[in-house]
Structure formats: structure tokens, C-alpha cells
Amino acid sequence: MPRRRSSSSTGNPTGGSTAPRNRTPQPVRVRRRTVGDFVKAFLAFLALLVLLVGVPLALATQIGWPLPHGVPSLDWLQQEITVQTFLNILTVVVWLAWAQFTACVLVEMKAALSGVGVPGRVPGAGPSQLLARQLVAALLLVGATAASLTPGLSQLGHGLEGNQKGTVAAAQQTPGGLFGQQREQAANAAAAVAEQAASAAAQAEAKQGETKYYRIQPPEGRHHDSLWEIAQRHLGDGRRYKEIYELNKDRAQPDGSRLSEASLIRPGWIMEMPADAHGGELVEMPDGAPGVSEQVRQQIHDYAKTGEHAQGGGHQQGGGSHASVPAQRPAPDAGQGQRQHHDGGTAATPASSGRSFGLPEALLGAPLLAAGLLGALGHRRRQALWQSALGAVGGRRGMEPPTPTGDALDVQDALLVGADPEGVRRLDRSLRGLAAALAAESRPLPVVYAAWLTGGDLHLQLAQPAGKPPAPWQTGQDETFWMLARADAEQYEDAGTAAPYPGLVSLGTMDDSRLLLNLEAVPGIVSLSGRAADRAAVFASVAAELATNGWSDRMTVTLVGFGQGLTPLAPNRLRHLDGIEALLETMEAETRQRRGALGAAGHDSVLTGRTGPAQHTRWAPHLVLLAAEPSAEDARRLAELAADAARLGIGYLVGTESGELPGAAWEMEITGEGRLLAPLLGLELDAQMLPPAEQRAVVELFVEADPESGPDGPVPTPPFLVDISEQGRPAVYARLVGPYEIIGLDTPDDERSALLHEALALLLLHREGVHPRVLSSALWPRGVTDDVRDALVERLRSWLGTDPDGTPRLGTDDSGRLTLAKSVVSDLDVLRSLYHEATQGKGADSRAVRGRLLTDALVVVRGPLLADRPEGRYRWLTHEIVDAQLPLIVADIGLALASFHLEKGRAEKAIEALDAALRTAPADERLWNELLRATHATGDTARLEALAADLVGRGGSRGLPPRTEALLDELLPAWRTAVAAG
């Protein structure tokens, strides 16, 4: 796709336009017929002659009449079937095929000669009519009407399905348009003069014929008129849509609106056409308007007065009663430029391998992608912890996950800084809340092409008007936008409704607005051109976000031609295929299956299956990311599959070297500067990308956290060990396990106490060091300036003081990360050291030492981590593994100490240890099962029955876990009767 920049169509934001505008078409180059055209026409004539005349003559002379000459008797049915019988049947089939093909030729010839660009469809004649159209087009190529007959590859799939509209045209089906933006003004006066000169030349040529007009037709089924299709039908080339746009932009339409974007047209609007336009749907004024109502004639007459000649110079009209149509994206509010990325506001820097303060920029400017990756990584690490604790994989791997280093550590910090989990949660709840509200009103989900996040507000761009949105949603800048303010979105809670738009994926930012394209809803293929490396970075970003986003339930993402190493991010979502042939076989089978499933369920699209009574079916999307450019034949097959893809919940993103992919509905280009361009859609974004270095580092984080790695996986990181002897008394001791207390420091000023305590807690939980940007992101999620952050760090350094040798207790390592001295210790450090010493140190060889160390460790535990943390603070703990790690360590200590006491028959001591552990790890099934065994060891049946009843009550409607039930069956066979009686 060529790199183009559209000029401004709506003027400056204040309304006035100072640069001259050109509303007339540029001179059109008329394509001259070549020798090849005449050869093609001659060959087409011969083919038609053979098929229309030669076939029936051959049948009549060589085979004769295949049917009986009289009415057959019943004896005829009992006659032996001979070879002649088969020949007669075959002859009948050939006659029928010939008759069908002849009808197709007649229909196509009639359409061509009458100038109608969309001929009627002969029932059941998809391939036959397609062949007839090609032959007729080739035959008439030397005539004036041939251009409107020749379909592109994008139409092949539609032709086979009975839809004669092209896939490219389908991209413009929405009356509300798609992704328009206010264009830039003319760069300088010289450019304006050149434009006017070209305009004058075009006007002189146009005056040679009568002025022609076209009236935008109302929607027909799922199809909507578009400038591309109008240009295809009446100018012979869809790419000439820009001429129609230039002729009509900013002119007042019958409904008072104005054409401000090429992708935004509405039924009933009038379009002035270039002089060489042709076709039966056009109206020539003033004399050639037969069959047109008086009302339409008057509308065209009034519209003709608004042309270039009537407005004098092309300046935008001012002072009228009708406002111009808004640009097709949400306009940023005035104060938005000061917001940080967690408000969904700031534009991302061009994604590259560059670094900002030592961290990758690609992830710093991708808040939704970073949040998804961070959430998935935390889930993976928690899985590894549980499997380690339960010994499910390869024996015990230890309770300390590997600490990343190098690029992996930088990427982890970038994820912590860049992630906007609140934004993801708000987006997910808003979309599910909308689906639930529509289902309650028995209304279908509207088709959504895109979502814009602007300053925390959510704007959904609909394919077509869908009525009034349910509260608290509001109608946006026109009927094709639904808007939800951030304050209203905060009211939504988690809902059980299926995710309505799981195919939304971030592409980048434009003027402080972040765009999410709904790949699932695209009416055809989305193509991406540009350098291979830049395309790969965009593909990787799309794949990673689809694999880990928080607003989807489940989906399948198929990667072809790239991304084999990305599958560890989400093995259940991502799959890699070796080549396009395997992809085509897979998608052909799935397309058939989905069509059949939709028909059997009585749905016209997957959207009607996601809400209402049938939402249990979920209708998960399948998104195909094909980085390798397909061949012409493969592109044709893909176009056929994609023709009905939006209805089936299947999306296609395909890479191309040339920039023009046959069958592409929407064309995009990624530049070397990180800009994502789509001129036809009015898009020019700062692209969201994931370069190769960041890809490798992200995958490394996931591989190291893989719970299936087994004993040969990454070596667990040893904990930060402290001296637990009397001589190892620290200078500063912080108690984090339970209520937060600090011993050894004076209480800071009240106004800064909360921030200093939170900063110290973060540093104590990361003895490997904390990047200053991670610290500021944790303490100020909405963003903060560097001077405020640095001032806090200095106050923290002053508060912590220095060791006796003069070394500051808050230092900075070689990478610039903040680190604490060994003289600053937390009770979590002590707990880990005691547990490590009891199981792998002196306690491993001495039973008495092990019992003492385990007892001391359990005494340290006073409750959950930071049990009294204030509301709204310490939100960064949701990303921390320690929140899941601490209960497991405490449970392990409790189990080990209980086993230590039961070996000596001290059941009461074991119960005491288990009760202490349960205060911090109340959900650990292992502790409850061991408590049952210890209680059984006391021999007190009534006490065991009471414990069983307590467990049943805790289980509620979910009941007891299977292992607990089995253990009760062994220890207390009559427990069900006892519980029921109690």
C-alpha cells in the first residue's frame, strides 16, 4: 500500500478553515486499449461461441435426444440399466448445465449493456456465473462499459457465496464510517496553488458533459453503499473514490450533514460525480432525470448550488445552522495531554528497540499489553508455586522462583511500570456490563469495529446505528458511537456474562487516544505492509496481547510464518502452523463447521450466540495472523474464506511485501518510524510493537516460570538469608507478616509517613533491587514527575540513615536500581531464613534443631502480609508473587512442625501448630487434612465430628474437596450421618 497522507477535510479544531480547498476531481487518465485487450476479447468470443453454440450442436448431432419419445410404462423401471442409460443421464446433466450457463451469460450481458454494475444472481450458479462474468467482461473490454464488469479477487469469495459485492467494498459498509480523523491543512500556499491549478484543469474537462449525480442507496441486508463501490461501478476503478470525495466534501447534504471523511456516507445523500461516470443509477441534470421523484430532483437541484462554483474558492461555509460531521474518532479533551498512560491517554513513543531510563519503550507505552503479560506471568508463577508445594512435578523445586536478570529483568520492570491493570479491568467490566444490559432488554449486540480509549472514557465505534444505548452508556458524536464515561464505568462490577468482543486488540495511539481494532468483526482480510522486521514487531504485539488480554474468555490464535517461540505465553490460546497450506485446510474445515453450527443454533452471527439465552455456547473467536505473504492462488482462497468471516467470528491479519493484497478489506502499512498508516480508513497511529529483543525477554520470563519445567528447569533462586543468631540483630527491623511495624527508626512526618512506609515495604520485598521508575509507578499509579519521585527517594535515604561505617542503608547498584543494606531486615527475611535452615541447613541433620527452628519460624507469623494496609494503597501487591508465596511457606512450616510432633505422639502440639498456620493460610487444603489426622490421633470422636461439620460448613454449596472427603471416609466412616444429625 503506498504511503499516503490525506489533507485536512474539516479544518482546524476551531472550525474555521484558512487554506483553500479543492472540491473538484483531478484530471482522470483514460486507459487506452492494448493489443492484449483485443486478444483477450477474441479468445473470450471463441470461448463463448464454443460453450453457447458448440456444446448444443455437439450434443444434438453426436448423441441425439436423451429422453424417451413417449410416456414410459412401469415395465421401463424394471429394465436392465445399460451403458446407454448412463450416457443419457449424463447428457441430460450437460444440457441443464448448458442452459444454466446460457442464462448466466444473458444476465451478465444485460447488466453490461444497461450499465448496472451489480447484475442479478442466477440461483445455484456461483461458479458458472463467475465464469460467464469474466468472459463477458473480457469480450467487452474494448468497449466503454467493460470496466464496471471486471471483478477483483476480493469479489471471488462473494461470488461463490452469492454476494456480488466485493470484499474491499465491504470495508466501507458502515454508515458511520470507520476510523476517520481530521486531516492536516495544506502545508503552504504553493501546495494550495498547485491544487487549484489541477482543479481548474479538471473543471474544464468536466464541463464537456452534463453534471451527473448519484444518490446514496439505503442498506440492502448487511451491505451498505460506499464511495469505493460507487467508484467501482460508475468509474471502473474503486481507487477513484477520492475524486468523488473531493467533489463533495464539506457540502451540505439534504439532512444538513456534511461529508467530512471518505469512509462516512449516509443513505439519502447526494454525490456529484466526475464527468466520465456511467451507469443506470446516475442522474444527469438538468435534463436527464427520468423516473426520479420530484422531491429527489429538488434535493439534487439544491445540492448543485453548493458546488465549487457556488461557494467561490472552496472555503468552508461558516455561520450555518448545521455543524459539520465530527471526525470518526473521539476528540481528546483539553487537559488530557497531562495524563499518564494509566488513564489511557498518553501517546506511545514509536515502538522500537529503544530504551527509556534503561527500560524498553515498547512495553512502557503499551499499558494494556503490559497488563495482560504481567497478569499471565503472575498466574504462571502462582501455578509453579502450587505445583512446587504439592510436589506435583519432578519433586520439590523450592519455594523461591528464579529471579530474572539482564534483559528479562529490564522487561519485567517495564511491565511493572507500563501496565494498567485497572484500565484492563474497567474495559472488561464495561463490555460485559453492556452485554448484560442489552440481554436484559432482549436486544442483540451491535457489531463493533473498534474501541477508543480516551482519558479513561471508552468509545465504541459501531458498524451501523443500533438505537439508544443502555444506561449508563450514551450516544457519542453520532449514532455510530456509544460512549461510557470513566466515572460511570467505575460503577460496574464483575458480571457472569460472556465477553462480547474478545477480538479487540490494541494497534496504537493517535492524539492521546488508544485504538483497539476488533479483528473478529472485519468484513474480510486486514493486510499489513511494510518492512519485514517492522511487520514482525506488529504481529508479535498483536499475538501477545490476544494471548494474554483480560477482556476475553477464550479464543484460538493461529500463527503462521512467525511466532513459534511465542507459544509459551499461552499454550492454550496460541498455536503455530508450519505453512499456509496447513492453514487453508484448517480454516476451510472450521469455516464449514461454524456455518453449520450457527445454522443449527438458529443464529445469524456469533454475536447473537454470546448473550441472551444461548450465551452458554460462548462462540469463541478464531484469529489468524499470517505474516508470510500468500501466493495469488492462496490469496484467492483466503478471500473466499474471509468473505463470511465476520459473521462466523473469524478474523484474518495478513502480511504483504507489495502493499496490495488481493482480497484485502482494510489495508494498513507500518513505516520504519513506527507509524501505522491506513489512509482509506483515516488512520495514522503511533504503532504498538514488540521488537525481537523484547519478545525473547518476555518469553524467557514465561519459560522460567513454567510449572512443567520439572527438575531440569530453571534453578530456584536462594532466598535472602540473614543471620538468625543473637549476634545477627539488625539495625532496622520491619514486621510485614501481620500488622506493619518498624523497629529501629523514628516515626516520619505524618504527611509523608504512608509513602515512606510503602516504599520501604516494596524494597524489603525485592532485595535484588527496585528500578526508580518501578518505585514511582507503584506509589503513584496515575503518574508522577521525576522530581517528586527523587525527592521521596532522598527522604527515604535520610530516614533509613547510615550504618556505623558511614554506608547509606539505601544505595544504588550498577544498573541504577535502589537496594537496601543487609542491616535492614524484615520478618519475612527471618521467616525464610529459619525455614531454609530447618529444611536445608543444620535442621536437615538434627531433629531437635529442626523442631526448634520450625517453632521459631511459626512464632514470627502474626497473620497475612501487611494485614492492616490502608484502603487504596499497596495495589502493586496484586502483581507480587509473595502474596501467594507467604501462605505456602507458612503452610509448609505448619505441616513440617505438625509432623515433627506427631512422630512423638504429641497430637495437641501438632494441632496447635496447624491452627497457627491456618491463620495465615486458611485456604490450604493440606493443613485441614493434616488437622483431621491430628484430631483423629487424639482419639476424641466428638471433636473429630465437630471439625468435620466445620469443614462442611466452610465448603458451602461447593462441598468438600475430593481428597478431604476420602480422608474423612477413612478416619470417620459415619461422618455424613454425624454431620446431618448435628
Side-chain angles (χ1 to χ4, degrees):
M1 182 174 63
R3 301 178 182 178
R4 303 183 294 265
R5 179 183 295 270
S6 302
S7 60
S8 176
S9 62
T10 57
N12 58 35
T14 60
S17 177
T18 58
R21 297 173 178 269
N22 175 21
R23 289 193 177 85
T24 57
Q26 300 299 319
V28 179
R29 292 181 299 175
V30 180
R31 181 181 180 273
R32 299 185 179 278
R33 308 306 178 199
T34 64
V35 175
D37 294 335
F38 287 97
V39 172
K40 291 179 182 178
F42 178 71
L43 294 176
F45 174 75
L46 290 181
L48 287 172
L49 187 65
V50 170
L51 292 173
L52 296 180
V53 180
V55 170
L57 286 178
L59 290 174
T61 58
Q62 300 300 320
I63 298 178
W65 185 250
L67 299 177
H69 293 281
V71 179
S73 63
L74 293 178
D75 295 338
W76 180 77
L77 299 175
Q78 300 176 355
Q79 292 180 1
E80 181 181 359
I81 297 177
T82 64
V83 174
Q84 186 61 39
T85 304
F86 280 109
L87 290 176
N88 289 338
I89 295 174
L90 181 60
T91 303
V92 172
V93 171
V94 175
W95 274 108
L96 292 175
W98 171 83
Q100 184 188 60
F101 179 76
T102 302
C104 293
V105 172
L106 293 176
V107 168
E108 296 295 331
M109 289 291 293
K110 178 179 180 297
L113 295 176
S114 64
V116 178
V118 183
R121 179 175 180 269
V122 177
S128 297
Q129 189 163 5
L130 184 60
L131 175 61
R133 186 179 309 161
Q134 296 283 6
L135 293 175
V136 171
L139 179 62
L140 300 180
L141 190 62
V142 295
T145 60
S148 64
L149 292 169
T150 308
L153 284 177
S154 62
Q155 293 172 303
L156 295 180
H158 289 270
L160 295 177
E161 295 300 326
N163 182 359
Q164 305 302 324
K165 276 59 173 188
T167 304
V168 174
Q172 303 297 316
Q173 290 175 357
T174 167
L178 183 65
F179 310 149
Q181 69 172 31
Q182 292 183 331
R183 310 288 202 256
E184 295 179 358
Q185 294 281 344
N188 48 51
V193 171
E195 239 183 286
Q196 290 176 334
S199 171
Q203 283 183 324
E205 182 176 342
K207 289 179 180 178
Q208 297 177 3
E210 297 291 346
T211 305
K212 301 174 183 178
Y213 296 89
Y214 176 85
R215 190 168 185 266
I216 305 300
Q217 300 301 310
E220 178 182 339
R222 292 174 60 88
H223 174 74
H224 300 264
D225 228 339
S226 69
L227 292 187
W228 182 285
E229 278 206 338
I230 296 170
Q232 183 71 31
R233 290 198 304 268
H234 301 297
L235 300 175
D237 186 353
R239 290 171 295 184
R240 292 182 62 187
Y241 78 93
K242 289 178 286 188
E243 298 176 30
I244 306 176
Y245 168 70
E246 291 294 337
L247 275 172
N248 296 276
K249 68 178 181 179
D250 297 329
R251 295 170 64 176
Q253 292 292 337
D255 62 358
S257 303
R258 297 175 188 272
L259 175 65
S260 63
E261 299 296 332
S263 57
L264 174 61
I265 60 174
R266 297 178 181 174
W269 280 11
I270 308 297
M271 293 288 116
E272 182 179 340
M273 300 292 289
D276 63 334
H278 55 271
E281 302 171 38
L282 298 179
V283 175
E284 291 190 15
M285 294 292 286
D287 301 322
V292 177
S293 68
E294 186 60 34
Q295 179 184 5
V296 174
R297 288 175 61 91
Q298 185 60 44
Q299 289 177 354
I300 296 176
H301 180 75
D302 294 341
Y303 185 74
K305 297 179 180 179
T306 66
E308 183 76 18
H309 61 281
Q311 297 184 24
H315 293 280
Q316 183 175 346
Q317 289 178 332
S321 59
H322 301 291
S324 62
V325 178
Q328 292 306 294
R329 63 169 178 82
D333 53 49
Q336 192 174 323
Q338 302 299 322
R339 297 191 178 118
Q340 296 296 318
H341 68 268
H342 294 302
D343 284 332
T346 57
T349 55
S352 64
S353 295
R355 303 173 91 73
S356 178
F357 297 99
L359 301 182
E361 292 178 349
L363 293 171
L364 293 175
L368 304 184
L369 170 61
L373 289 170
L374 198 59
L377 181 60
H379 179 71
R380 184 75 56 86
R381 286 174 171 171
R382 285 172 172 80
Q383 281 185 313
L385 276 176
W386 274 104
Q387 295 199 17
S388 173
L390 298 175
V393 177
R396 299 298 293 270
R397 290 177 50 204
M399 301 300 294
E400 300 295 333
T403 299
T405 58
D407 288 344
L409 179 58
D410 289 343
V411 161
Q412 178 176 274
D413 286 343
L415 293 177
L416 290 167
V417 174
D420 182 14
E422 289 300 320
V424 170
R425 190 176 300 111
R426 191 164 54 247
L427 174 63
D428 181 44
R429 289 177 174 177
S430 300
L431 294 176
R432 293 179 194 266
L434 173 64
L438 290 172
E441 298 177 6
S442 299
R443 294 172 60 187
L445 281 170
V447 176
V448 169
Y449 277 159
W452 293 89
L453 291 174
T454 307
D457 298 339
L458 174 60
H459 304 253
L460 296 183
Q461 193 156 7
L462 313 184
Q464 57 187 5
K468 183 180 179 181
W473 290 77
Q474 306 171 24
T475 301
Q477 58 201 57
D478 61 35
E479 293 180 347
T480 62
F481 274 94
W482 284 3
M483 190 274 289
L484 180 67
R486 175 173 183 160
D488 294 328
E490 301 287 356
Q491 304 173 10
Y492 277 118
E493 301 292 339
D494 291 331
T497 306
Y501 304 112
L504 287 169
V505 65
S506 303
L507 290 184
T509 56
M510 179 170 64
D511 294 342
D512 300 325
S513 295
R514 185 169 301 278
L515 169 67
L516 288 85
L517 175 67
N518 190 4
L519 282 178
E520 181 190 18
V522 176
I525 296 172
V526 179
S527 70
L528 178 66
S529 62
R531 296 187 311 181
D534 297 324
R535 294 202 319 269
V538 174
F539 271 98
S541 171
V542 170
E545 185 169 296
L546 289 174
T548 60
N549 72 35
W551 53 87
S552 303
D553 293 321
R554 58 189 178 91
M555 67 172 65
T556 300
V557 184
T558 298
L559 313 180
V560 185
F562 83 107
Q564 187 171 7
L566 292 174
T567 52
L569 301 184
N572 294 330
R573 282 194 184 184
L574 293 178
R575 68 174 179 181
H576 181 270
L577 295 180
D578 293 333
I580 191 171
E581 190 59 37
L583 171 68
L584 290 170
E585 293 178 3
T586 300
M587 298 314 300
E588 285 171 353
E590 181 162 344
T591 299
R592 289 193 300 269
Q593 186 273 331
R594 290 204 174 206
R595 283 175 180 158
L598 278 178
H603 301 307
D604 60 347
S605 74
V606 295
L607 286 180
T608 58
R610 286 196 182 137
T611 58
Q615 68 168 292
H616 62 277
T617 58
R618 300 287 172 166
W619 297 105
H622 186 166
L623 304 173
V624 176
L625 308 181
L626 172 59
E629 182 171 13
S631 64
E633 174 60 22
D634 291 337
R636 183 190 66 80
R637 293 173 65 183
L638 276 176
E640 294 175 1
L641 291 172
D644 201 25
R647 186 177 69 91
L648 303 177
I650 302 175
Y652 294 88
L653 177 62
V654 182
T656 172
E657 291 282 352
S658 62
E660 293 185 1
L661 181 70
W666 298 342
E667 295 179 338
M668 298 187 298
E669 176 191 9
I670 180 66
T671 70
E673 295 75 32
R675 302 285 289 173
L676 189 67
L677 310 178
L680 181 59
L681 306 178
L683 280 180
E684 186 170 342
L685 305 170
D686 290 314
Q688 180 172 297
M689 304 165 72
L690 190 60
E694 283 71 24
Q695 292 178 43
R696 290 191 295 269
V698 166
V699 172
E700 180 182 340
L701 290 173
F702 277 78
V703 170
E704 288 184 348
D706 188 357
E708 304 296 330
S709 297
D712 297 329
V715 178
T717 303
F720 173 74
L721 301 179
V722 299
D723 186 354
I724 56 178
S725 66
E726 286 296 328
Q727 293 73 27
R729 188 178 300 275
V732 178
Y733 183 62
R735 305 178 74 180
L736 305 178
V737 185
Y740 192 0
E741 298 176 11
I742 297 178
I743 301 171
L745 291 177
D746 295 331
T747 303
D749 296 339
D750 290 342
E751 60 182 11
R752 300 188 179 96
S753 177
L755 276 176
L756 291 173
H757 277 74
E758 187 172 356
L760 179 57
L762 179 62
L763 289 165
L764 285 167
L765 295 177
H766 290 276
R767 304 302 307 219
E768 73 278 7
V770 175
H771 196 287
R773 295 198 65 182
V774 174
L775 178 67
S776 62
S777 176
L779 299 181
W780 295 280
R782 293 182 179 273
V784 70
T785 57
D786 292 346
D787 59 334
V788 173
R789 178 198 65 205
D790 294 340
L792 177 75
V793 171
E794 289 306 314
R795 290 191 187 96
L796 181 61
R797 182 176 284 114
S798 176
W799 181 43
L800 291 174
T802 60
D803 285 333
D805 62 358
T807 304
R809 291 176 181 144
L810 178 61
T812 305
D813 64 11
D814 295 338
S815 66
R817 289 176 171 82
L818 302 171
T819 59
L820 290 174
K822 291 185 178 181
S823 58
V824 182
V825 174
S826 73
D827 55 354
L828 184 59
D829 298 327
V830 174
L831 179 67
R832 287 168 168 164
S833 299
L834 288 167
Y835 178 60
H836 183 271
E837 190 69 17
T839 57
Q840 302 179 47
K842 296 178 180 179
D845 301 323
S846 172
R847 185 179 185 280
V849 173
R850 182 170 67 255
R852 178 177 58 81
L853 292 171
L854 291 173
T855 301
D856 290 345
L858 207 54
V859 170
V860 173
V861 178
R862 299 174 301 122
L865 185 72
L866 296 167
D868 58 352
R869 51 191 163 190
E871 184 74 22
R873 303 211 66 88
Y874 296 88
R875 292 185 176 180
W876 46 269
L877 277 174
T878 58
H879 300 313
E880 297 290 337
I881 197 67
V882 68
D883 233 6
Q885 186 185 32
L886 176 61
L888 292 177
I889 294 177
V890 173
D892 264 21
I893 294 172
L895 291 169
L897 189 56
S899 177
F900 173 82
H901 289 304
L902 287 173
E903 288 176 2
K904 293 296 184 178
R906 297 191 291 263
E908 292 297 339
K909 287 288 186 180
I911 292 173
E912 182 181 341
L914 292 168
D915 284 339
L918 280 168
R919 286 193 289 271
T920 299
D924 198 311
E925 180 188 351
R926 300 172 301 158
L927 289 174
W928 290 108
N929 291 347
E930 195 64 20
L931 185 59
L932 286 172
R933 293 188 181 95
T935 305
H936 179 264
T938 64
D940 189 341
T941 304
R943 188 175 178 182
L944 184 60
E945 289 176 351
L947 179 57
D950 182 38
L951 286 175
V952 170
R954 289 174 181 271
S957 59
R958 295 174 298 176
L960 294 176
R963 292 182 181 180
T964 304
E965 279 196 5
L967 180 60
L968 276 173
D969 288 338
E970 177 187 348
L971 302 178
L972 190 65
W975 69 274
R976 291 180 174 83
T977 304
V979 169

